[in-house]
Amino acid sequence: MENIITFASMTNAMKARELLRGHKIPTRLIRTPAHLRKGSCGYSLVVPNRFTRAVELLQMKGIPYKGIFADGAD
């Protein structure tokens, strides 16, 4: 499994991607995988490294996300 942050909207996913890009944290924007959706569609960011820092930045900047799914590696 990959490190994934899920969002309810494309807008929030794009805001998050730009924030993380500004902090030199690479991401990949994807449709939320079916097994992680909770009854609705959505968008997600795959964060291959610095995952903990990425989540901290989203919280500090108040960008809402639906869930985080980490594979344990950072």
Side-chain angles (χ1 to χ4, degrees):
M1 184 174 157
E2 298 176 293
N3 293 324
I4 295 175
I5 304 170
T6 61
F7 299 88
S9 71
M10 172 68 94
T11 301
N12 286 334
M14 296 290 287
K15 285 180 185 178
R17 183 172 73 169
E18 290 306 310
L19 171 68
L20 298 178
R21 184 179 286 164
H23 287 269
K24 308 258 189 275
I25 298 174
T27 63
R28 183 169 39 102
L29 181 67
I30 62 169
R31 290 295 307 254
T32 300
H35 68 281
L36 298 179
R37 289 185 210 149
K38 295 182 179 166
S40 65
C41 60
Y43 294 87
S44 297
L45 290 179
V46 176
V47 185
N49 51 40
R50 298 183 63 204
F51 186 70
T52 302
R53 180 66 179 145
V55 173
E56 289 172 354
L57 286 167
L58 295 180
Q59 291 171 344
M60 285 173 38
K61 294 296 184 178
I63 298 175
Y65 56 88
K66 288 178 72 173
I68 55 173
F69 302 90
D71 68 3
D74 199 15

